[in-house]
Amino acid sequence: MPSPGHAQNSLISPAGKHTTVTLACNPFPPSKISEMASEPGYDVEILRAAFATRNITLITPFYPWKRAYFLAKTGQVDGLCSCSYLPEREKDFLFSDLLGRVRIAVYATQQEILDAVNTVEDARNMTIGIVNGYSLEAIARDAGLDVITANSEATLINLLLSRRLDAVLSFKSPIDYLIKHSDDTTPDMSSVKTKIAANNPYYSCITKNIDGSEALMAQFNLGLQTIRENGLYEKILAKYGTTPEADTLSPDQIQ
């Protein structure tokens, strides 16, 4: 089993013990940052604050997405820090009230590729990279795309720069964070261009495979409502230089 990343409250407690809840996170900066205990990401801080209003302590170990999803699906942890909605996930998960919105973008090194892609279906004649297990993988495969998967955004960008991919379809925040914090050892990073494709909601997810899952979700939703009403939700986002409206697009920008 991969070791959890360094984060506050990184030890795992027994699933289903709701005075202490464990939600598995995947590295997804700046909303979930595994290597910075003092700034673990705005999603992690929002989750902790919401549960704290209900006198529940949150533990947030970090894993690659596929591992985090497996642990939550099988009830080895209480759920996932966040996830996108897919109908097939309803069998195993309860979805919280809206946690936030996330932009989806296409990345390429050639502008003509970006110009040609206005919908997912437009990329059918291209080789597209996607993080393994993300909801985007199911969307792309359903559209008949030639998909290559990788375990991280960093691997996808390396494949793109080495011309093994025509484009990358990804959630925008983690790749933007990666590009912003890249060092001089990747000089070609400046050649990566991007185009926003969609703006989708995401949620926190509690596994149905633990006792008391519905009661736990109700407690979280109450806590989330509380921190939205008292302003703490926006204060946490502001700490990371964002706002609730930061990822909101006008209808004509959503494709």
Side-chain angles (χ1 to χ4, degrees), residues 17-187:
K17 304 297 184 181
H18 294 155
T19 53
T20 303
V21 170
T22 299
L23 298 182
C25 292
N26 62 299
F28 199 93
S31 63
K32 295 179 283 293
I33 306 173
S34 62
E35 69 274 11
M36 295 178 64
S38 60
E39 292 188 357
Y42 54 81
D43 278 353
V44 175
E45 293 202 36
I46 286 169
L47 291 165
R48 288 176 180 167
F51 277 115
T53 69
R54 315 310 298 169
N55 295 316
I56 296 173
T57 299
L58 176 64
I59 294 172
T60 55
F62 279 79
Y63 299 95
W65 168 251
K66 290 283 283 187
R67 183 63 180 172
Y69 189 88
F70 173 79
L71 291 172
K73 180 178 179 180
T74 55
Q76 296 181 60
V77 295
D78 296 301
L80 294 162
C81 288
S82 68
C83 65
S84 301
Y85 172 79
L86 287 175
E88 55 266 35
R89 291 178 178 174
E90 285 192 308
K91 176 184 176 182
D92 296 296
F93 291 99
L94 299 171
F95 292 83
S96 72
D97 293 342
L98 181 71
L99 187 60
R101 300 190 70 88
V102 61
R103 285 174 290 180
I104 296 168
V106 180
Y107 291 83
T109 57
Q110 301 177 52
Q111 185 62 46
E112 55 266 30
I113 289 178
L114 293 184
D115 292 342
V117 179
N118 293 309
T119 67
V120 174
E121 287 77 12
D122 291 337
R124 282 179 179 162
N125 295 322
M126 303 176 186
T127 302
I128 304 297
I130 298 176
V131 172
N132 188 17
Y134 278 3
S135 60
L136 299 177
E137 181 183 357
I139 292 169
R141 293 194 186 281
D142 287 346
L145 271 59
D146 178 15
V147 172
I148 290 179
T149 61
N151 288 330
S152 71
E153 288 83 5
T155 300
L156 289 178
I157 290 297
N158 286 333
L159 290 173
L160 182 66
L161 292 174
S162 63
R163 305 294 192 262
R164 295 173 63 186
L165 296 172
D166 294 312
V168 169
L169 182 65
S170 175
F171 297 111
K172 195 170 189 295
S173 294
I175 289 193
D176 286 357
Y177 185 91
L178 176 67
I179 292 173
K180 180 179 179 181
H181 291 85
S182 64
D183 54 34
D184 295 335
T185 62
T186 315

